[in-house]
Amino acid sequence: MKQLVILSGKGGTGKTSVTAAFAHLASQGPFADRILLADADVDAANLELVLQPRRLDTRPFSGGQVAVIDADICMTCGDCESVCRFDAIAEMDGRFVVDPIACDGCAACVYQCPAEGIHMEEQTVGEVAVSESRYGPLHHAHLYPGQENSGKLVTQVKERARQQALDESRQLVLVDGPPGIGCPVIAAVSGADLALLVTEPTVSGIHDLRRALQTVQHFGVPALVCINKADVYPKGAQDIEADCLANGINAIGQIPFDLSIASAMVAGEAVTAYRPDAPASLALTALWERVVTCLIAPDATPDT
Amino acid sequence: MRIVVASGKGGTGKTTVATSLARVAAERDRVRFLDCDVEAPNAALFLHPVLDSHREVGIRVPRVDADACTYCGRCAEVCQFNAIAVVGQKTLVFDDLCHGCGSCTWNCPEQAISEQLAVTGVIDSGQTAEGIAFAQGVMNVGQTMGVPILRELKQWTAAPPPVGHDLRGRALEIRDAPPGASCPVVETMRGADFVLLVTEPTPFGLHDLKQVVAIARELGLPAGVVINRDGIGDDAVAAYCAESDLPILLRIPMERRIAEAIASGQPLVEAEPRYRPEFQTLLEHIVAGVNA
């Protein structure tokens, strides 16, 4: 079984549209009925919107604990407020209250309270789900707004996907990653066989791609780069390709700016299924073949 | 007054809007700009500040004085993150797991624990040619927690302006938020006066917009919407705004010229000066709304 993770650094470069297209293309070829999808962007989970799968199971996700002050025991000494380094405890109307969103769950206040009037409570911070999409099972999750994305929920989504892939002898887990380079990204990269970084030829896209590449390399995962909306700023696309070449990264192709991608999103379809002849679809089809080559033979250099 | 520019979905134009708003505001007001997207900070690419100050930041991790430690294990017991463990005659600290809460330090009966800074990022600061006081948090590659950097960034105070400098105008702070709808977005919004939400009129834009609206409401902050790339996608964002009592304060159409200018690193109001009055109106609308 192989794991391919789609990342970008900068948000909005087209990770989810590329993932959906790959899911569609994979279902047409040798991976038909042998792929499985995981949406690792749990605080902006969008793969479900484009695949419109049938939900099979949803369960709550406990992300950790928060402190709760028992008002009957509290002597209002304020020791809890003074030890909290997360500014999660404040005095309001003569009482000390915990802001559950700011609380880090460290329990420092619990141990400092002279009256033993604080305890920790398990908190449901989101839900984790499995659905059946037209291209294969989809493991996904929803982190409730404002909760801490420590990577634990991403890890759980990926673990559930991996387990099902093993149970059903599926060959490929396609992971739609989150933006950035922090915890959720590290959780998404962990255990991947290959990362495809979708970038765009903008000053921001290039800047964030470099940081994302460093992160992926830090964790020893081989990386490929593709450039979305490549024709919007051809000089930027050239700079990215030169940068990749200089750093030994395989830039495997470009996707032109194409409004079909937005139309496909509205229609709830992968662009390659929605308009197979659109310029973006043709480019994605060629890209997918190169990605498959790299997945099957990691040392092969695809013919670009 | 503190204005946060957030979005939910990445790549909708937060930085485009935040930097143009700052440029227009700086014509009359004293502006301080904080790039709060510590994983992917991009505002400097558009505002070109001279970043002449760099301060390493991070979290305070425990260091155990081996001579004073009795291996009682109290530190490991109080740590909620398994960041400290006693194995035989050794107390081990795992910096990567530590949240810097200080609980082990306070609870050590021998006072054998002191703390030292574990660097997770840097705060770069300086000024732009237009006089915008600028600071950004940059998380180091391989690090996991951005929020402690963000907290330090919000505390940053710009050097006082030189004597004789014009001190007229309002004091405005503009914060460019990270994407998503988790902890770092909450930390960016905390203490702000207004949240400007930049979205695109697509199902992804709408879905993720709803997540950040929920945070703004939870924090009791007024909010307004900018629809970027207007014309692509569908009308669902506008319908949602109407039914949720969210004013649409500005629409920026999908135009190739705009996309090209932003790709090359030009602020929108510089590349397309026709947007200057639009951003002035946007700013005055926000300020009037908050002061009302």
Side-chain angles (χ1 to χ4, degrees), chain A residues 43 99 104 146 181-182 208 211, chain B residues 39 42 99 139 181 183 190 263:
Chain A
D43 55 322
D99 174 352
D104 191 62
I181 62 164
D208 300 345
R211 283 167 63 78
Chain B
E39 296 184 35
N42 293 328
H99 287 213
M139 187 168 90
C183 248
R190 197 183 294 277

Side-chain angles (χ1 to χ4, degrees), chain A residues 18-119:
Chain A
V18 169
T19 306
F22 282 3
H24 164 246
L25 294 167
S27 74
Q28 310 289 300
F31 287 112
D33 301 321
R34 299 165 97 170
I35 70 157
L36 195 143
L37 306 163
D39 189 345
D41 190 0
V42 298
D43 55 322
N46 292 339
L47 199 51
E48 185 179 19
L49 300 178
V50 61
L51 295 178
Q52 306 198 336
R54 188 167 59 90
R55 191 71 77 96
L56 301 176
D57 179 61
T58 306
R59 55 189 63 179
F61 175 76
S62 296
Q65 300 193 311
V66 292
V68 177
I69 298 173
D70 187 333
D72 293 335
I73 302 175
C74 178
M75 310 182 302
T76 66
C77 67
D79 282 4
C80 51
E81 183 190 18
S82 60
V83 297
C84 180
R85 290 186 178 170
F86 305 96
D87 300 327
I89 302 182
E91 191 178 356
M92 281 172 75
D93 306 323
R95 291 175 52 214
F96 285 87
V97 288
V98 178
D99 174 352
I101 296 181
C103 178
D104 191 62
C106 73
C109 56
V110 171
Y111 293 101
Q112 291 303 308
C113 178
E116 297 185 9
I118 308 178
H119 67 277

